[in-house]
Amino acid sequence: MKSKNNIQRIVKSLVLASTLGLSSVVSAGEVEVLHFWTSGGEAKSAAALKELLEAKGHQWRDFAVAGGGGDAAMTVLKSRAVAGNPPTAAQVKGPSIQEWGNEGVLANVSAVAAEGDWDNLLPSVVANVMKYEGDYVAAPVNVHRVNWLWANPAVFEQAGAALPNTWDEFFDAADKIKAAGLIPFAHGGQPWQDFTVFESIVLGTGGADLYNKVFVELDEASMKSDGMKKSFEILRRLNDYTDAGSPGRDWNVATGMVIEGKAAMQVMGDWAKGEFTNAGKMPGKDFVCMAAPGTADAFTFNIDSFIFFDQSDSGARDAQNALAATIMEPEFQQVFNVAKGSIPARLNMPREPFDACALTSMDDFVKTAETGGLVPSVAHGMAAYSAVAGAMSDVVTKFFNSDMSAEDAVAAYVTNVMEAKASL
Ligand code: GAL
């Protein structure tokens, strides 16, 4: 497996570096936490974890790496590992947890999990991702839903447009909003954001069935299907409804455009809600959350979690265990998720503190788990190894930023993904 080899190289260097005396400088009772939560809503959420850990007498050393979606943070994490100085905990999720587990560098937190009864408090779909060879090596903080559309109702009213449930309705509304001199679609032109929008388009076009076939099973015939061609065509049309400032824009800046009424809509996971609520906005009044067009019966899940690196110092280990325990405590799961826009990973949490968007999410998470509409977000590292997801994302971004035809995009997509699959 190519990605495994990469990490193997990193770990070899890590061992070498520690024999040269470059080992971690984390002191007893301290946890150094690498994460990528730097927007207003995200920083507020991360602060909740810091405060709760410090209340237990441990110190939190913050290592935030800016960059939505975490690509920059993952690069930094790998270079820290290469330098023989991994942090105590890092925001890593999905199949990547297995990639790090394969190298034997993760701490086993099963004793903390047993004490906290994690097996009974987590849905098995969540617990399984947190385990490596049967042991807990990660702790989940939340469940984000990715297939959301965020809208500013005042902009719709001004333009005489109706909130869209399908892509046809989306473009009808977008035409009206554009004619009224406003920006229909707030978008940040970064590869992970292009891919976030694209996965929702595929879900809306071909349902959970096509989604699973092309993003999880990597089924060649489905990748060549009309549903994929149609999905690329929809993505292409979106180009006409965003603004000139889109390339390179951060996701939270795009959300800000909807908050301020400069733009009407954004397709983004519910971390965007953290920005609305951080700006004092109320769901149902100042903003609307609704399923991305055509995806009301589905739920793309994205579970944030922290992995823990082996510690030789017993004080650092105690602090690390305290961090793992804190993450799963009800107090943290509530405060953090209310601010973050997500729902708790832990089952049987009180519903009262959560707003209407989160309650919809909670209900749909349970419902779609039964109907088959619950699917892993490929754009957020839940569905495929990073090499495969990267191969997909490259084509999507190249297509979105060129005049490539939908047919050529499908062909490039199949070639890229099959090559990446073969290299695993
Ligand atoms: C996601 C992550 C979220 C949020 C978002 C923007 O991948 O799971 O917690 O931070 O990226 O950075």
Side-chain angles (χ1 to χ4, degrees), residues 36-39 42 65-71 91 93 141-142 144 146 192-193 196 251-252 268-272 302-305 336 340 342 377 379-382:
F36 50 94
W37 290 326
T38 54
S39 77
E42 290 175 328
V65 182
D71 291 342
Q91 189 191 344
K93 50 189 176 157
V141 297
N142 65 5
H144 270 304
V146 182
W192 74 271
Q193 295 186 65
T196 298
W251 68 271
N252 52 316
M268 186 49 64
D270 44 21
W271 44 93
N302 171 24
I303 302 164
D304 283 314
S305 50
F336 177 86
K340 188 75 167 66
S342 38
S377 167
H380 292 275
M382 292 285 122

Side-chain angles (χ1 to χ4, degrees), residues 157-214:
E157 208 180 298
Q158 199 182 326
L163 293 165
N165 291 303
T166 64
W167 281 107
D168 284 344
E169 290 176 10
F170 179 100
F171 290 115
D172 282 349
D175 282 332
K176 293 196 175 110
I177 294 158
K178 197 172 172 180
L182 294 154
I183 302 164
F185 183 54
H187 183 62
Q190 296 174 349
W192 74 271
Q193 295 186 65
D194 300 341
F195 200 21
T196 298
V197 173
F198 186 69
E199 72 169 27
S200 280
I201 296 176
V202 172
L203 189 62
T205 306
D209 189 43
L210 180 67
Y211 185 100
N212 278 324
K213 286 204 167 105
V214 298

Side-chain angles (χ1 to χ4, degrees), residues 103-116:
E103 306 311 324
V105 288
L106 298 187
N108 179 345
V109 293
S110 281
V112 178
E115 184 147 338

Side-chain angles (χ1 to χ4, degrees), residues 37 45-46 48 141-142 331-340 342:
W37 290 326
S45 318
V141 297
N142 65 5
E331 189 183 0
F332 166 73
Q333 293 265 329
Q334 179 179 314
V335 178
F336 177 86
N337 285 299
V338 165
K340 188 75 167 66
S342 38

